Protein backbone atom coordinates (compact mmCIF):
# COMPACT_ATOMS: atom_id res chain seq x y z
CA UNK A 1 0.00 0.00 0.00
CA UNK A 2 1.42 3.38 -1.01
CA UNK A 3 2.46 6.23 1.25
CA UNK A 4 -0.28 8.45 2.56
CA UNK A 5 -0.55 11.65 4.57
CA UNK A 6 -2.14 11.82 8.05
CA UNK A 7 -4.99 13.88 6.59
CA UNK A 8 -5.28 11.96 3.32
CA UNK A 9 -5.62 8.28 4.13
CA UNK A 10 -6.82 5.40 1.91
CA UNK A 11 -9.73 4.71 4.25
CA UNK A 12 -11.59 7.15 6.52
CA UNK A 13 -10.00 7.79 9.92
CA UNK A 14 -11.83 7.10 13.16
CA UNK A 15 -13.65 10.27 14.23
CA UNK A 16 -16.37 10.95 16.80
CA UNK A 17 -19.84 10.36 15.35
CA UNK A 18 -22.05 13.33 16.15
CA UNK A 19 -24.94 11.01 16.92
CA UNK A 20 -22.88 9.32 19.64
CA UNK A 21 -23.01 5.97 17.90
CA UNK A 22 -19.35 4.94 17.92
CA UNK A 23 -16.57 4.15 20.36
CA UNK A 24 -14.57 7.23 19.35
CA UNK A 25 -17.46 9.44 20.45
CA UNK A 26 -17.84 7.55 23.72
CA UNK A 27 -14.14 7.98 24.39
CA UNK A 28 -14.15 11.71 23.65
CA UNK A 29 -17.43 12.45 25.37
CA UNK A 30 -17.10 10.24 28.45
CA UNK A 31 -13.95 8.16 28.99
CA UNK A 32 -11.18 10.67 28.25
CA UNK A 33 -12.73 13.65 30.08
CA UNK A 34 -13.03 11.34 33.08
CA UNK A 35 -9.29 10.56 32.81
CA UNK A 36 -8.51 14.28 32.72
CA UNK A 37 -10.73 14.85 35.75
CA UNK A 38 -8.80 12.15 37.60
CA UNK A 39 -5.52 13.89 36.71
CA UNK A 40 -6.87 17.16 38.11
CA UNK A 41 -8.20 15.53 41.28
CA UNK A 42 -5.01 13.57 41.93
CA UNK A 43 -2.91 16.66 41.34
CA UNK A 44 -5.11 18.65 43.73
CA UNK A 45 -4.39 16.03 46.40
CA UNK A 46 -0.64 16.36 45.69
CA UNK A 47 -0.89 20.15 46.02
CA UNK A 48 -2.72 19.80 49.33
CA UNK A 49 0.02 17.51 50.62
CA UNK A 50 2.80 19.94 49.69
CA UNK A 51 4.47 22.03 52.41
CA UNK A 52 6.08 24.36 49.86
CA UNK A 53 4.06 27.57 49.52
CA UNK A 54 5.54 28.38 46.11
CA UNK A 55 4.76 24.87 44.83
CA UNK A 56 1.18 25.20 46.12
CA UNK A 57 0.73 28.55 44.39
CA UNK A 58 2.13 27.25 41.13
CA UNK A 59 0.06 24.08 41.47
CA UNK A 60 -3.12 26.17 41.47
CA UNK A 61 -2.02 27.81 38.21
CA UNK A 62 -1.34 24.42 36.64
CA UNK A 63 -4.74 23.17 37.77
CA UNK A 64 -6.32 26.11 35.94
CA UNK A 65 -4.43 25.12 32.77
CA UNK A 66 -5.66 21.54 33.06
CA UNK A 67 -9.21 22.77 33.59
CA UNK A 68 -8.86 24.95 30.49
CA UNK A 69 -7.78 21.91 28.49
CA UNK A 70 -10.84 20.00 29.65
CA UNK A 71 -13.08 22.96 28.77
CA UNK A 72 -11.63 23.09 25.24
CA UNK A 73 -12.23 19.37 24.85
CA UNK A 74 -15.85 19.24 25.99
CA UNK A 75 -16.80 22.41 24.08
CA UNK A 76 -15.14 21.23 20.85
CA UNK A 77 -12.59 24.00 20.44
CA UNK A 78 -9.78 23.82 17.83
CA UNK A 79 -6.64 21.92 18.82
CA UNK A 80 -4.31 24.69 20.00
CA UNK A 81 -0.56 24.78 19.41
CA UNK A 82 1.51 23.22 22.19
CA UNK A 83 3.73 25.30 24.46
CA UNK A 84 7.39 24.26 24.44
CA UNK A 85 8.37 22.30 27.55
CA UNK A 86 11.95 21.71 26.46
CA UNK A 87 11.62 17.96 25.88
CA UNK A 88 12.58 18.37 22.24
CA UNK A 89 9.56 17.40 20.15
CA UNK A 90 7.19 20.39 20.32
CA UNK A 91 8.33 21.86 17.01
CA UNK A 92 7.45 18.56 15.33
CA UNK A 93 4.08 18.44 17.09
CA UNK A 94 3.13 21.99 16.10
CA UNK A 95 4.36 21.55 12.53
CA UNK A 96 2.24 18.40 12.26
CA UNK A 97 -0.81 20.20 13.65
CA UNK A 98 -0.40 23.17 11.31
CA UNK A 99 0.28 21.06 8.23
CA UNK A 100 -2.35 18.38 8.58
CA UNK A 101 -4.98 19.52 11.08
CA UNK A 102 -5.04 23.33 10.99
CA UNK A 103 -8.32 24.48 12.52
CA UNK A 104 -9.41 20.94 13.39
CA UNK A 105 -11.48 20.67 16.55
CA UNK A 106 -11.67 17.81 19.02
CA UNK A 107 -14.76 16.27 17.41
CA UNK A 108 -13.59 16.76 13.81
CA UNK A 109 -9.99 15.56 14.28
CA UNK A 110 -9.18 11.84 13.97
CA UNK A 111 -9.05 9.75 17.15
CA UNK A 112 -5.32 9.20 16.63
CA UNK A 113 -4.79 12.96 16.45
CA UNK A 114 -6.72 14.35 19.42
CA UNK A 115 -6.05 11.55 21.92
CA UNK A 116 -2.20 11.59 21.88
CA UNK A 117 -2.40 15.39 21.57
CA UNK A 118 -4.23 15.51 24.90
CA UNK A 119 -1.60 13.45 26.69
CA UNK A 120 1.22 15.48 25.18
CA UNK A 121 -0.48 18.71 26.23
CA UNK A 122 -0.93 17.49 29.80
CA UNK A 123 2.79 16.78 29.88
CA UNK A 124 3.57 20.35 28.73
CA UNK A 125 1.61 21.75 31.67
CA UNK A 126 3.89 20.04 34.16
CA UNK A 127 7.02 20.13 32.00
CA UNK A 128 7.06 23.95 31.92
CA UNK A 129 6.66 24.30 35.69
CA UNK A 130 9.32 25.17 38.24
CA UNK A 131 8.14 22.91 41.07
CA UNK A 132 6.22 20.10 39.40
CA UNK A 133 8.40 19.24 36.40
CA UNK A 134 9.25 15.75 37.72
CA UNK A 135 5.69 15.02 38.82
CA UNK A 136 4.33 11.87 37.16
CA UNK A 137 0.61 12.53 37.17
CA UNK A 138 -0.12 8.82 36.63
CA UNK A 139 2.53 7.24 38.90
CA UNK A 140 0.36 6.71 41.96
CA UNK A 141 -2.33 4.86 40.01
CA UNK A 142 0.22 2.63 38.28
CA UNK A 143 1.99 1.73 41.51
CA UNK A 144 -1.08 1.37 43.71
CA UNK A 145 -2.68 -1.02 41.22
CA UNK A 146 0.47 -3.16 41.11
CA UNK A 147 0.85 -3.24 44.91
CA UNK A 148 -2.79 -4.28 45.23
CA UNK A 149 -2.19 -7.19 42.82
CA UNK A 150 0.82 -8.74 44.58
CA UNK A 151 -0.93 -12.07 45.16
CA UNK A 152 -1.51 -12.39 41.40
CA UNK A 153 2.03 -11.15 40.74
CA UNK A 154 3.48 -13.86 42.99
CA UNK A 155 1.43 -16.60 41.33
CA UNK A 156 2.44 -15.47 37.86
CA UNK A 157 6.13 -15.20 38.75
CA UNK A 158 6.13 -18.64 40.37
CA UNK A 159 4.47 -20.11 37.29
CA UNK A 160 6.91 -18.54 34.80
CA UNK A 161 9.86 -19.41 37.04
CA UNK A 162 8.71 -23.03 36.84
CA UNK A 163 8.32 -22.78 33.04
CA UNK A 164 11.85 -21.39 32.75
CA UNK A 165 13.27 -24.22 34.86
CA UNK A 166 11.44 -26.77 32.72
CA UNK A 167 12.73 -25.13 29.54
CA UNK A 168 16.32 -25.20 30.76
CA UNK A 169 15.98 -28.86 31.74
CA UNK A 170 14.55 -30.18 28.47
CA UNK A 171 15.75 -30.78 24.93
CA UNK A 172 12.19 -31.40 23.78
CA UNK A 173 11.22 -29.01 21.01
CA UNK A 174 7.56 -29.69 21.77
CA UNK A 175 7.97 -28.64 25.40
CA UNK A 176 9.91 -25.53 24.41
CA UNK A 177 7.18 -24.66 21.92
CA UNK A 178 4.46 -25.04 24.56
CA UNK A 179 6.45 -22.92 27.00
CA UNK A 180 6.89 -20.19 24.41
CA UNK A 181 3.17 -20.18 23.57
CA UNK A 182 2.35 -19.75 27.26
CA UNK A 183 4.69 -16.82 27.89
CA UNK A 184 3.81 -15.14 24.57
CA UNK A 185 0.08 -15.33 25.21
CA UNK A 186 0.58 -14.19 28.80
CA UNK A 187 2.25 -11.08 27.38
CA UNK A 188 -0.66 -10.61 24.98
CA UNK A 189 -3.35 -10.84 27.64
CA UNK A 190 -1.37 -8.70 30.05
CA UNK A 191 -2.41 -5.89 27.70
CA UNK A 192 -5.90 -6.12 29.20
CA UNK A 193 -4.54 -4.31 32.27
CA UNK A 194 -4.78 -0.85 30.70
CA UNK A 195 -5.70 1.82 33.25
CA UNK A 196 -6.88 4.23 30.55
CA UNK A 197 -9.57 1.68 29.69
CA UNK A 198 -10.06 -0.28 32.93
CA UNK A 199 -9.21 2.06 35.85
CA UNK A 200 -10.64 -0.21 38.57
CA UNK A 201 -8.69 -3.44 38.07
CA UNK A 202 -8.83 -5.65 41.15
CA UNK A 203 -6.53 -8.38 42.37
CA UNK A 204 -9.37 -10.85 41.90
CA UNK A 205 -9.80 -9.90 38.25
CA UNK A 206 -6.07 -10.18 37.62
CA UNK A 207 -6.04 -13.67 39.15
CA UNK A 208 -9.00 -14.66 36.96
CA UNK A 209 -7.16 -13.36 33.89
CA UNK A 210 -4.06 -15.34 34.80
CA UNK A 211 -6.08 -18.52 35.35
CA UNK A 212 -7.62 -18.17 31.86
CA UNK A 213 -4.17 -17.71 30.33
CA UNK A 214 -2.70 -20.75 32.07
CA UNK A 215 -5.67 -22.94 31.14
CA UNK A 216 -5.58 -21.93 27.47
CA UNK A 217 -9.18 -20.73 27.78
CA UNK A 218 -8.34 -17.44 26.10
CA UNK A 219 -7.07 -19.02 22.89
CA UNK A 220 -10.47 -18.85 21.20
CA UNK A 221 -10.51 -15.10 21.86
CA UNK A 222 -7.53 -14.50 19.58
CA UNK A 223 -9.13 -13.12 16.43
CA UNK A 224 -5.98 -13.50 14.31
CA UNK A 225 -3.31 -15.84 15.62
CA UNK A 226 0.15 -16.07 14.08
CA UNK A 227 1.68 -17.76 17.14
CA UNK A 228 3.05 -20.73 15.15
CA UNK A 229 4.61 -18.41 12.56
CA UNK A 230 6.20 -16.36 15.35
CA UNK A 231 7.56 -19.60 16.83
CA UNK A 232 9.20 -20.39 13.49
CA UNK A 233 11.01 -17.05 13.66
CA UNK A 234 12.03 -17.60 17.29
CA UNK A 235 13.36 -21.06 16.48
CA UNK A 236 15.75 -19.48 14.01
CA UNK A 237 17.23 -17.08 16.58
CA UNK A 238 20.11 -18.12 18.82
CA UNK A 239 21.72 -15.65 21.22
CA UNK A 240 20.16 -12.85 19.20
CA UNK A 241 18.49 -9.54 19.96
CA UNK A 242 14.80 -9.00 20.73
CA UNK A 243 13.20 -5.56 21.06
CA UNK A 244 9.95 -4.97 22.94
CA UNK A 245 8.11 -1.69 22.40
CA UNK A 246 6.31 -1.48 25.72
CA UNK A 247 2.77 -0.44 26.51
CA UNK A 248 1.40 -0.52 30.07
CA UNK A 249 3.28 -0.50 33.36
CA UNK A 250 2.41 -2.75 36.28
CA UNK A 251 0.99 -6.19 35.58
CA UNK A 252 1.40 -5.97 31.79
CA UNK A 253 5.02 -4.85 32.11
CA UNK A 254 5.60 -7.79 34.43
CA UNK A 255 4.26 -10.15 31.74
CA UNK A 256 6.56 -8.55 29.16
CA UNK A 257 9.59 -8.80 31.44
CA UNK A 258 8.75 -12.45 32.13
CA UNK A 259 8.63 -13.06 28.37
CA UNK A 260 12.08 -11.47 28.09
CA UNK A 261 13.24 -13.59 31.04
CA UNK A 262 12.17 -16.74 29.20
CA UNK A 263 13.77 -15.62 25.91
CA UNK A 264 17.13 -15.13 27.64
CA UNK A 265 16.87 -18.33 29.69
CA UNK A 266 15.94 -20.33 26.57
CA UNK A 267 19.01 -19.05 24.72
CA UNK A 268 16.94 -17.19 22.12
CA UNK A 269 18.08 -13.71 23.17
CA UNK A 270 21.49 -12.54 24.33
CA UNK A 271 20.13 -9.01 24.42
CA UNK A 272 16.67 -7.58 25.02
CA UNK A 273 15.99 -3.90 24.39
CA UNK A 274 12.90 -2.45 26.05
CA UNK A 275 11.47 0.75 24.55
CA UNK A 276 9.65 2.90 27.13
CA UNK A 277 8.07 6.38 27.05
CA UNK A 278 10.10 9.41 28.04
CA UNK A 279 7.11 11.25 29.52
CA UNK A 280 3.97 10.07 31.37
CA UNK A 281 1.62 8.75 28.69
CA UNK A 282 -1.85 7.24 28.33
CA UNK A 283 -2.31 6.78 32.11
CA UNK A 284 -0.38 3.54 32.51
CA UNK A 285 2.30 3.51 29.80
CA UNK A 286 5.78 2.48 30.92
CA UNK A 287 8.43 5.09 31.61
CA UNK A 288 12.03 4.28 32.48
CA UNK A 289 11.25 5.01 36.12
CA UNK A 290 8.32 2.58 36.02
CA UNK A 291 10.63 -0.15 34.75
CA UNK A 292 13.19 0.49 37.47
CA UNK A 293 10.43 0.61 40.10
CA UNK A 294 9.09 -2.79 39.01
CA UNK A 295 12.50 -4.44 39.35
CA UNK A 296 13.14 -2.72 42.69
CA UNK A 297 9.72 -3.85 43.94
CA UNK A 298 10.47 -7.47 43.17
CA UNK A 299 13.90 -7.14 44.78
CA UNK A 300 12.32 -5.93 48.02
CA UNK A 301 8.51 -6.24 47.99
CA UNK A 302 8.10 -5.14 51.59
CA UNK A 303 10.10 -1.95 51.12
CA UNK A 304 7.92 -1.11 48.10
CA UNK A 305 4.80 -1.32 50.22
CA UNK A 306 3.63 -4.81 49.32
CA UNK A 307 2.12 -6.73 52.20
CA UNK A 308 0.51 -10.08 52.93
CA UNK A 309 2.89 -12.17 50.81
CA UNK A 310 3.75 -15.69 51.91
CA UNK A 311 7.44 -16.19 52.65
CA UNK A 312 7.86 -18.56 49.69
CA UNK A 313 6.20 -16.08 47.31
CA UNK A 314 8.36 -13.23 48.55
CA UNK A 315 11.47 -15.38 48.04
CA UNK A 316 10.51 -16.07 44.39
CA UNK A 317 10.00 -12.36 43.77
CA UNK A 318 13.29 -11.39 45.39
CA UNK A 319 15.18 -14.01 43.36
CA UNK A 320 13.67 -12.81 40.08
CA UNK A 321 14.22 -9.17 40.98
CA UNK A 322 17.86 -9.89 41.70
CA UNK A 323 18.31 -11.73 38.40
CA UNK A 324 16.69 -8.88 36.47
CA UNK A 325 18.82 -6.24 38.17
CA UNK A 326 21.93 -8.19 37.13
CA UNK A 327 20.65 -8.44 33.55
CA UNK A 328 20.19 -4.67 33.50
CA UNK A 329 23.56 -3.96 35.11
CA UNK A 330 25.35 -6.26 32.65
CA UNK A 331 23.68 -4.72 29.61
CA UNK A 332 21.93 -7.93 28.58
CA UNK A 333 18.74 -5.95 29.14
CA UNK A 334 18.58 -2.31 28.14
CA UNK A 335 15.82 0.27 28.58
CA UNK A 336 15.55 3.11 26.04
CA UNK A 337 13.01 5.95 25.83
CA UNK A 338 13.08 7.46 22.36
CA UNK A 339 10.92 10.58 21.82
CA UNK A 340 9.36 9.14 18.68
CA UNK A 341 7.00 6.95 20.71
CA UNK A 342 5.23 10.00 22.17
CA UNK A 343 5.34 12.01 18.97
CA UNK A 344 2.43 12.73 16.61
CA UNK A 345 3.39 10.40 13.77
CA UNK A 346 2.20 6.92 12.95
CA UNK A 347 4.88 4.26 12.94
CA UNK A 348 4.89 3.98 9.13
CA UNK A 349 6.96 7.18 9.28
CA UNK A 350 9.74 5.55 11.31
CA UNK A 351 12.10 5.03 8.32
CA UNK A 352 11.87 8.69 7.25
CA UNK A 353 11.14 10.63 10.46
CA UNK A 354 13.36 8.62 12.82
CA UNK A 355 15.94 6.92 10.58
CA UNK A 356 18.43 6.24 13.38
CA UNK A 357 15.79 4.54 15.51
CA UNK A 358 14.57 2.54 12.51
CA UNK A 359 18.10 1.45 11.64
CA UNK A 360 18.57 0.32 15.24
CA UNK A 361 15.33 -1.69 15.15
CA UNK A 362 16.38 -3.25 11.85
CA UNK A 363 19.41 -4.69 13.65
CA UNK A 364 17.06 -6.72 15.84
CA UNK A 365 16.10 -10.34 15.22
CA UNK A 366 12.54 -9.70 16.41
CA UNK A 367 10.62 -6.54 17.31
CA UNK A 368 7.50 -6.96 19.45
CA UNK A 369 5.00 -4.11 19.60
CA UNK A 370 2.79 -4.33 22.64
CA UNK A 371 -0.70 -3.03 23.14
CA UNK A 372 -3.57 -1.19 21.58
CA UNK A 373 -2.05 2.24 20.94
CA UNK A 374 1.13 0.80 19.43
CA UNK A 375 -1.07 -1.36 17.19
CA UNK A 376 -3.15 1.63 16.12
CA UNK A 377 0.03 3.57 15.33
CA UNK A 378 1.42 0.59 13.42
CA UNK A 379 -1.55 0.20 11.08
CA UNK A 380 -2.92 3.74 11.35
CA UNK A 381 -6.30 4.38 12.92
CA UNK A 382 -8.61 3.84 9.95
CA UNK A 383 -11.81 2.08 9.00
CA UNK A 384 -9.77 -0.69 7.40
CA UNK A 385 -11.54 -3.64 5.83
CA UNK A 386 -10.87 -6.24 8.53
CA UNK A 387 -9.39 -8.64 5.99
CA UNK A 388 -6.60 -6.21 4.99
CA UNK A 389 -3.32 -8.12 5.43
CA UNK A 390 -1.30 -6.90 8.40
CA UNK A 391 1.81 -6.51 6.22
CA UNK A 392 -0.12 -4.22 3.85
CA UNK A 393 -1.43 -2.06 6.67
CA UNK A 394 2.00 -1.41 8.21
CA UNK A 395 3.36 -0.36 4.81
CA UNK A 396 7.06 0.63 4.91
CA UNK A 397 7.65 -1.37 8.08
CA UNK A 398 7.16 -4.57 6.08
CA UNK A 399 9.55 -3.55 3.28
CA UNK A 400 12.71 -5.43 2.32
CA UNK A 401 15.28 -5.26 5.10
CA UNK A 402 12.72 -4.66 7.84
CA UNK A 403 12.98 -6.81 10.97
CA UNK A 404 10.37 -9.43 11.83
CA UNK A 405 7.59 -7.51 13.61
CA UNK A 406 5.04 -9.00 15.98
CA UNK A 407 1.97 -7.15 17.25
CA UNK A 408 0.50 -8.36 20.56
CA UNK A 409 -2.70 -6.44 21.12
CA UNK A 410 -5.96 -6.79 22.98
CA UNK A 411 -8.45 -4.80 20.94
CA UNK A 412 -9.71 -1.63 22.63
CA UNK A 413 -10.54 0.47 19.59
CA UNK A 414 -12.66 -0.22 16.52
CA UNK A 415 -9.89 -0.62 13.99
CA UNK A 416 -8.31 -3.96 13.12
CA UNK A 417 -6.73 -5.79 10.17
CA UNK A 418 -5.70 -9.31 9.29
CA UNK A 419 -8.92 -10.97 10.43
CA UNK A 420 -10.67 -13.50 8.23
CA UNK A 421 -14.09 -12.05 7.25
CA UNK A 422 -15.87 -15.23 8.35
CA UNK A 423 -14.15 -15.02 11.74
CA UNK A 424 -15.10 -11.35 12.06
CA UNK A 425 -18.73 -12.16 11.25
CA UNK A 426 -18.69 -14.88 13.89
CA UNK A 427 -17.29 -12.47 16.50
CA UNK A 428 -19.82 -9.75 15.67
CA UNK A 429 -22.56 -12.33 16.21
CA UNK A 430 -21.16 -13.07 19.68
CA UNK A 431 -20.86 -9.42 20.71
CA UNK A 432 -21.12 -6.25 18.64
CA UNK A 433 -18.36 -4.48 20.58
CA UNK A 434 -15.70 -7.18 20.25
CA UNK A 435 -13.31 -4.80 18.48
CA UNK A 436 -13.08 -2.44 21.47
CA UNK A 437 -14.17 -4.54 24.45
CA UNK A 438 -10.66 -5.52 25.50
CA UNK A 439 -11.78 -9.16 25.56
CA UNK A 440 -10.31 -10.18 22.19
CA UNK A 441 -6.77 -10.04 20.92
CA UNK A 442 -4.44 -10.53 17.96
CA UNK A 443 -0.98 -12.00 17.53
CA UNK A 444 0.16 -10.86 14.09
CA UNK A 445 3.47 -11.20 12.29
CA UNK A 446 5.24 -9.35 9.53
CA UNK A 447 8.13 -11.69 8.68
CA UNK A 448 10.42 -8.93 7.39
CA UNK A 449 13.91 -9.30 5.81
CA UNK A 450 13.71 -11.21 2.44
CA UNK A 451 16.93 -9.70 1.06
Amino acid sequence: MGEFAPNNTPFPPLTAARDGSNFTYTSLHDRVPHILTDVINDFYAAIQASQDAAAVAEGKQLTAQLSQLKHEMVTDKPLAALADDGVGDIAQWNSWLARYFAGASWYSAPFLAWEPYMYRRIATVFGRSAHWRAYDFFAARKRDTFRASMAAVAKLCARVDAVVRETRATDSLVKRHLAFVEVLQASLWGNQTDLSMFPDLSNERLEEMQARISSGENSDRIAANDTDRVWEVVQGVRAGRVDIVLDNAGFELLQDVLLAHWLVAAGVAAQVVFHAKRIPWYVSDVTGRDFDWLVATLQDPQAAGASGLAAADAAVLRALGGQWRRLLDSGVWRVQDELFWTGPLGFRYLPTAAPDLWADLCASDLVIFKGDLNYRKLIYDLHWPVSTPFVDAIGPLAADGAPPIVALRTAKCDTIVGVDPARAKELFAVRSDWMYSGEYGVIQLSPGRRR
Side-chain angles (χ1 to χ4, degrees):
M1 184 168 293
E3 192 65 32
F4 54 82
N7 63 345
N8 184 26
T9 52
F11 299 99
L14 303 187
T15 54
R18 290 291 181 171
D19 62 2
S21 62
N22 65 5
F23 177 71
T24 307
Y25 176 90
T26 302
S27 293
L28 181 52
H29 189 264
D30 300 317
R31 181 176 62 84
V32 176
H34 180 74
I35 289 171
L36 189 48
T37 299
D38 285 343
V39 170
I40 294 169
N41 291 341
D42 290 349
F43 183 48
Y44 178 78
I47 295 170
Q48 295 297 104
S50 176
Q51 302 299 312
D52 185 330
V56 170
E58 185 182 47
K60 292 177 180 178
Q61 297 172 0
L62 304 187
T63 300
Q65 294 176 38
L66 294 170
S67 297
Q68 174 63 25
L69 171 58
K70 182 178 177 182
H71 172 75
E72 291 175 19
M73 180 191 301
V74 300
T75 57
D76 196 25
K77 295 294 189 292
L79 302 180
L82 296 170
D84 196 345
D85 57 4
V87 172
D89 62 345
I90 294 301
Q92 182 189 52
W93 266 100
N94 286 337
S95 172
W96 174 83
L97 280 170
R99 181 176 180 182
Y100 300 115
F101 300 109
S105 70
W106 291 82
Y107 279 81
S108 68
F111 199 169
L112 202 54
W114 64 256
E115 191 178 32
Y117 166 86
M118 183 200 75
Y119 287 101
R120 189 63 188 92
R121 187 161 160 191
I122 293 172
T124 68
V125 170
F126 294 99
R128 292 180 296 117
S129 70
H131 299 88
W132 299 96
R133 189 175 180 84
Y135 176 71
D136 183 343
F137 34 95
F138 297 132
R141 289 178 180 271
K142 289 184 279 192
R143 295 178 182 183
D144 289 348
T145 300
F146 190 77
R147 288 191 193 101
S149 64
M150 288 306 290
V153 166
K155 286 184 179 180
L156 173 62
C157 287
R159 172 59 193 157
V160 175
D161 188 51
V163 170
V164 165
R165 292 174 188 275
E166 292 165 6
T167 300
R168 284 174 169 155
T170 184
D171 294 324
S172 168
L173 194 59
V174 172
K175 289 183 178 179
R176 287 172 64 89
H177 181 202
L178 291 174
F180 173 73
V181 170
E182 182 171 343
V183 294
L184 184 74
Q185 293 195 9
S187 179
L188 163 66
W189 295 114
N191 184 235
Q192 288 184 310
T193 59
D194 181 342
L195 295 181
S196 70
M197 285 290 293
F198 308 111
D200 301 315
L201 283 168
S202 65
N203 188 68
E204 290 74 19
R205 181 172 178 186
L206 289 172
E207 290 192 7
E208 289 172 6
M209 287 167 51
Q210 182 55 34
R212 289 199 300 270
I213 293 166
S214 298
S215 68
E217 180 183 336
N218 272 357
S219 295
D220 62 354
R221 295 190 178 193
I222 303 177
N225 192 350
D226 286 340
T227 296
D228 288 342
R229 295 177 63 215
V230 177
W231 171 241
E232 290 177 7
V233 173
V234 168
Q235 277 187 281
V237 179
R238 291 291 180 271
R241 169 178 161 180
V242 175
D243 286 59
I244 304 177
V245 182
L246 299 167
D247 190 25
N248 296 301
F251 201 71
E252 178 176 0
L253 175 59
L254 177 68
Q255 304 269 30
D256 300 338
V257 173
L258 287 166
L259 170 60
H261 179 68
W262 185 89
L263 290 168
V264 171
V268 174
Q271 183 178 53
V272 179
V273 182
F274 299 93
H275 299 268
K277 306 299 192 298
R278 190 171 298 183
I279 59 176
W281 196 247
Y282 273 69
V283 184
S284 50
D285 277 33
V286 180
T287 65
R289 287 196 296 178
D290 292 329
F291 197 105
D292 187 72
W293 184 87
L294 175 81
V295 175
T297 297
L298 263 67
Q299 285 182 287
D300 193 346
Q302 188 172 6
S307 59
L309 281 174
D313 289 340
V316 169
L317 297 186
R318 285 195 297 270
L320 282 175
Q323 290 179 55
W324 296 349
R325 181 63 67 191
R326 290 189 292 275
L327 288 169
L328 288 165
D329 290 345
S330 67
V332 174
W333 284 2
R334 192 166 79 241
V335 181
Q336 301 178 179
D337 61 356
E338 300 90 355
L339 267 180
F340 183 84
W341 309 122
T342 51
L345 297 174
F347 294 168
R348 63 172 37 243
Y349 295 99
L350 262 167
T352 53
D356 291 344
L357 173 56
W358 178 239
D360 187 43
L361 292 172
C362 286
S364 183
D365 294 292
L366 180 68
V367 181
I368 300 171
F369 284 88
K370 284 300 310 294
D372 190 70
L373 179 62
N374 284 331
Y375 185 88
R376 291 165 59 196
K377 284 206 160 192
L378 272 173
I379 69 168
Y380 229 73
D381 221 6
L382 309 178
H383 288 286
W384 292 100
V386 296
S387 61
T388 305
F390 177 65
V391 292
D392 289 355
I394 67 174
L397 303 193
D400 279 359
I405 288 175
V406 177
L408 302 180
R409 176 232 192 176
T410 56
K412 309 185 195 88
C413 180
D414 46 358
T415 186
I416 201 165
V417 296
V419 179
D420 182 87
R423 174 66 167 148
K425 182 177 180 180
E426 173 188 300
L427 293 173
F428 276 118
V430 173
R431 57 184 299 172
S432 61
D433 66 348
W434 73 271
M435 289 174 65
Y436 53 87
S437 66
E439 296 294 328
Y440 295 85
V442 295
I443 298 174
Q444 293 176 314
L445 172 71
S446 170
R449 298 292 194 280
R450 290 185 301 278
R451 282 180 180 172

